[in-house]
Amino acid sequence: MLMGNDTIIAHAERVADLAGQAAMGYFRNLLEVELKADESPVTQADRGVERRVRAYLDEHFPDDGILGEEFGQSDLSCDHVWSIDPIDGTRSFLSGHPLFGFLLARLYKGVPTIGVIGMPALKETMIGVRGGPATLNGQAVGVSGQVSLDRAILFINEAEKILHRYPGVFDSLQSAGHTRRFGYDCYPHALVAMGHVDAVVDEDLQPYDYLPLVPVIEAAGGVITDWAGNALTLSSGTSGVITAATAELHAQLLHRVRS
């Protein structure tokens, strides 16, 4: 069954609501924690949220494929694929910190066309549509327009991983921007789309982490690529991401990470 963008967006909003309700049912409650092979934590909250989202998508989009963090992939050869990160920032979630998120994207032939950044504890939902608007709780948002790195507010996400893996990049970023903050997870990227932050350099991301960001950032007028300047798609296979309010600012950060 063919659906228009407005109908799909309405479904995406509904999924974000369901995921947020499910996540908040677990938040700041006692949870059992397991460690994955990469030592990252997973809880019944991560799995419970993803199960709920998958059940909704299976019902309403039975012909679409799914890529989920907790339960893997199915039918990625489909033209349309959904990407799910049920709780982006499990460590934040476990520590009672409200800046965990829910990430959802719908892709067409590997390219993200609709993205959702849900912040359940903040009651904020951002939606971006390729070729369309970016909204926060239904209101249009846009990037800052900052073109100078010297005057930029820069977030360095996963700073300790960047320091360990790319110490030269870390040193370069430490002297970049007017204001620097260390951060984690999806919210700094959302703040770029809202116009509050000018850029984010991130590392150690999986496709379900970055694919939902792409339509939101681009619809808000910003730029988001990997560290080589390439577009982010299902087949990117990258872990480093740069988000910036403008092409000029993005180019300056690309130079920093490449050097």
Side-chain angles (χ1 to χ4, degrees), residues 24 27-28 92-93 95-101 119-122 187:
M24 292 308 293
F27 188 50
R28 293 179 176 170
S92 291
F93 189 87
S95 60
H97 191 55
L99 297 187
F100 67 92
M119 304 299 298
L122 303 182
Y187 200 52

Side-chain angles (χ1 to χ4, degrees), residues 154-174 189 199-206 210 213-214 223-233 236-244 249-259:
L154 171 66
F155 262 77
I156 305 170
N157 268 14
E158 302 290 350
E160 71 275 23
K161 292 179 181 178
I162 296 175
L163 174 61
H164 176 70
R165 297 174 182 175
Y166 310 102
V169 172
F170 180 82
D171 287 345
S172 181
L173 293 175
Q174 276 282 74
H189 298 273
V200 182
V201 177
D202 214 334
E203 164 58 3
D204 195 31
L205 301 186
Q206 298 296 321
Y210 57 71
L213 306 177
V214 174
V223 181
I224 178 169
T225 71
D226 67 15
W227 280 20
N230 299 314
L232 296 166
T233 68
S236 289
T238 188
S239 64
V241 169
I242 296 175
T243 294
L249 186 55
H250 181 267
Q252 293 166 71
L253 285 166
L254 266 183
H255 177 72
R256 293 260 176 168
V257 300
R258 284 171 171 172
S259 298

Side-chain angles (χ1 to χ4, degrees), residues 83-85 102-107 112 114-117 126-128 186 206-217 224:
S83 168
I84 309 164
D85 188 346
F102 164 72
L103 296 175
L104 180 74
R106 194 182 196 225
L107 293 79
I114 296 174
V116 178
I117 304 173
M126 297 195 72
I127 297 180
C186 61
Q206 298 296 321
Y208 42 75
D209 294 314
Y210 57 71
L211 291 171
L213 306 177
V214 174
V216 175
I217 296 300
I224 178 169

Side-chain angles (χ1 to χ4, degrees), residues 131-198:
T135 61
L136 170 62
N137 294 346
Q139 300 298 310
V141 293
V143 295
S144 67
Q146 179 61 258
V147 297
S148 171
L149 183 55
D150 289 342
R151 296 195 295 271
I153 299 173
L154 171 66
F155 262 77
I156 305 170
N157 268 14
E158 302 290 350
E160 71 275 23
K161 292 179 181 178
I162 296 175
L163 174 61
H164 176 70
R165 297 174 182 175
Y166 310 102
V169 172
F170 180 82
D171 287 345
S172 181
L173 293 175
Q174 276 282 74
S175 62
H178 177 273
T179 299
R180 289 169 301 281
R181 303 290 294 168
F182 291 163
Y184 296 93
D185 313 321
C186 61
Y187 200 52
H189 298 273
L191 291 171
V192 173
M194 296 180 205
H196 302 306
V197 170
D198 300 312

Side-chain angles (χ1 to χ4, degrees), residues 34-42 69-70 91 161 165 204-206 208-209:
E34 300 175 23
L35 293 179
K36 300 180 189 179
D38 64 357
E39 297 296 311
S40 62
V42 61
E69 179 176 10
E70 304 308 333
R91 287 185 172 89
K161 292 179 181 178
R165 297 174 182 175
D204 195 31
L205 301 186
Q206 298 296 321
Y208 42 75
D209 294 314

